[in-house]
Amino acid sequence: MSKLNIGIILGSTRQGRVSPQVGEWVKSIADKRGDANYEIVDIAEYKLPLLGEEDATEQATAWNTKLASLDGFVFIVQEYNHSITGALKNALDYARDAWNNKAAGIVSYGSVGGARAAEHLRGILGELSVADVRVHPALSLFTDFENGSVFKPADLHLTNVNGMLDQVLAWSGALKTIRQ
């Protein structure tokens, strides 16, 4: 069986965001495993306007094509006002079938580890027929970031990232059999 393709989705588009640092950290851990093809998928690169505000056929087609090429996901989720970013919700809404019958892990961060954003995301993923896995690395803005902008994760998170990736790969492989 060929290796699974897992997208590490950056869930923020704002200037000064730290999701690229977190995403690269997750990818560096994942790449050392050698068990799948991992890639960063930055929603900012797709320039998706708010759903329904203008014709976004080109952007939506590119976004859906990228998602369709992936077998599973790891969402890098930051908490904004007790939920996910508007940009991530918008990107989730731009696709339907491309999400279906795939698995996802969540790496979140915020003042309480991004737990509330992760819980909101789980509900949305359920509606999109994405199986979210249980292991959830939660990063604190107070202990894992210097001055709120430089990512310096505690070593203890490595175990959770690997556990989450184990589950994402197991579920992604199982769900791929029903998509074929």
Side-chain angles (χ1 to χ4, degrees):
M1 186 165 115
S2 62
K3 286 185 178 180
L4 296 170
N5 297 310
I6 307 297
I8 300 169
I9 298 180
L10 304 184
S12 177
T13 58
R14 72 172 178 81
Q15 293 293 326
R17 63 196 170 135
V18 296
S19 59
Q21 293 176 63
V22 178
E24 288 296 336
W25 172 71
V26 170
K27 186 175 184 311
S28 72
I29 294 167
D31 284 345
K32 288 176 189 166
R33 298 164 53 101
D35 53 6
N37 300 313
Y38 298 95
E39 68 176 289
I40 300 286
V41 179
D42 189 349
I43 61 175
E45 292 177 5
Y46 291 86
K47 308 226 181 296
L48 297 163
L50 287 177
L51 188 63
E53 285 197 349
E54 62 185 76
D55 179 29
T57 302
E58 185 178 331
Q59 298 98 312
T61 298
W63 177 238
N64 277 267
T65 299
K66 171 47 69 185
L67 296 175
S69 74
L70 300 169
D71 299 304
F73 313 99
V74 173
F75 287 90
I76 307 301
V77 181
Q78 40 291 100
E79 188 170 310
Y80 285 83
N81 297 319
H82 292 215
S83 192
I84 63 173
T85 65
L88 178 56
K89 178 63 169 90
N90 191 55
L92 289 161
D93 289 344
Y94 260 102
R96 182 72 187 179
D97 293 340
W99 296 117
N100 293 173
N101 298 314
K102 296 180 182 178
I106 300 169
V107 177
S108 64
Y109 59 92
S111 60
V112 292
R116 297 169 294 209
E119 287 305 308
H120 281 189
L121 180 57
R122 289 180 194 282
I124 297 164
L125 293 176
E127 179 60 25
L128 295 171
S129 297
V130 176
D132 60 285
V133 303
R134 186 187 70 77
V135 177
H136 165 210
L139 308 166
S140 170
L141 285 177
F142 302 114
T143 58
D144 295 306
F145 293 85
E146 187 175 282
N147 299 321
S149 62
V150 179
F151 183 49
K152 294 189 174 183
D155 291 338
L156 62 92
H157 297 300
L158 185 60
T159 300
N160 279 340
V161 170
N162 277 303
M164 183 244 342
L165 291 171
D166 288 343
Q167 290 182 345
V168 167
L169 291 180
W171 279 93
S172 294
L175 288 167
K176 186 171 185 172
T177 64
I178 65 173
R179 292 195 318 273
Q180 295 175 336

